[in-house]
Amino acid sequence: MHFPFKAVLFDMDGTITDSTAFHDAAWDAFARAHAGGGLAPGDPRLVPGRTIDVVRAVLGRDVVGDEAQRLHDDKERRFHAIARGRMTALPGLSRYLRWLSARGIPAALVTNAPRINIDFTLAELGLEGAFPLTLGAEDVERGKPHPDPFIEACLRLGVAAADALVHEDSRLGIRAGVAAGCPVAAMLTGLSASDAATAGARWVARDYDDWLAQISRETAEA
């Protein structure tokens, strides 16, 4: 594949690391503590995106102010306790980041996760400093599924959305990238190839080893 992109924007959970099971376990524990019952993986209340939106969906009511911050932080402390020492990067990620760096293509982390999770995850993966730009829940007013995070990343990097490749792993994230005007390559950590394509992904890959192999193969055939 010819690689014409001037920047690459990565989601975090499910895209640079397959952390969904750890979050699911943390949400289950959170719901048992605060909502009187657990949550099964795939529960529709887990879909909204940002932590505080899921907190409200799980509790079935609005929370604001100090209560919102306390509940938000309670869930994330549970996630950190479960995930610590168990997280790994998707195969090929470090090699892909080096490949991009060698070509002068900036990589940005663009996620709905709060800063405390960004810092935790990058430290767990040994990727501190790997992304020149990181945008999280605190950096834009509206998170995914709105396109705002990807639009903001493109503005900060000084590239047009059409020139910024997005890597995502969820329907919500793929749709946000498409709405921003970015081409999307999906990682199949939680979606089928057909579901990713239906959401708007142009390409799919199992991991970054697979993605680099696609780039190499299609470049050789061009």
Side-chain angles (χ1 to χ4, degrees):
M1 160 189 312
H2 174 56
F3 199 88
F5 307 110
K6 296 179 181 178
V8 178
L9 315 179
F10 295 80
D11 177 47
M12 188 171 75
D13 292 296
T15 301
I16 69 168
T17 180
D18 192 359
S19 53
T20 301
F22 304 137
H23 280 289
D24 285 347
W27 279 118
D28 179 60
F30 176 89
R32 291 179 187 278
H34 298 287
L39 288 176
D43 188 293
R45 288 172 289 180
L46 299 176
V47 171
R50 292 181 172 182
T51 300
I52 193 58
D53 297 324
V54 181
V55 165
R56 291 172 177 137
V58 169
L59 298 181
R61 62 181 178 86
D62 194 19
V63 291
V64 297
D66 290 344
E67 182 189 25
Q69 191 65 53
R70 176 177 58 80
L71 292 167
H72 174 286
D73 292 351
D74 177 76
K75 183 270 167 179
E76 301 308 358
R77 282 193 296 269
R78 294 174 189 273
F79 164 64
H80 294 177
I82 292 166
R84 185 170 287 109
R86 302 172 64 191
M87 301 180 79
T88 58
L90 258 62
L93 176 64
S94 292
R95 187 161 67 96
Y96 184 36
L97 290 173
R98 291 193 300 271
W99 187 90
L100 293 172
S101 180
R103 288 158 178 78
I105 300 171
L109 193 67
V110 185
T111 173
N112 274 349
R115 184 62 52 180
I116 56 172
N117 278 5
I118 295 173
D119 293 343
F120 171 80
T121 299
L122 293 181
E124 287 290 302
L125 298 176
L127 291 175
E128 303 100 320
F131 297 94
L133 172 66
T134 61
L135 292 181
E138 299 88 350
D139 296 304
V140 291
E141 184 174 347
R142 302 188 306 173
K144 308 168 196 176
H146 299 288
D148 304 33
F150 292 122
I151 292 171
E152 180 66 19
C154 290
L155 287 171
R156 295 197 191 190
L157 292 172
V159 301
D163 294 327
L165 175 67
V166 164
H167 287 298
E168 270 284 356
D169 70 293
S170 68
R171 295 178 186 87
L172 176 150
I174 293 168
R175 289 169 181 157
V178 170
C182 301
V184 179
M187 294 292 116
L188 301 180
T189 54
L191 287 179
S192 68
S194 61
D195 284 343
T198 298
R202 295 191 195 177
W203 307 276
V204 298
R206 296 185 306 276
D207 53 37
Y208 296 102
D209 282 334
D210 181 23
W211 178 240
L212 285 167
Q214 291 185 44
I215 294 171
S216 178
R217 182 169 59 249
E218 296 190 22
T219 300
E221 293 171 355

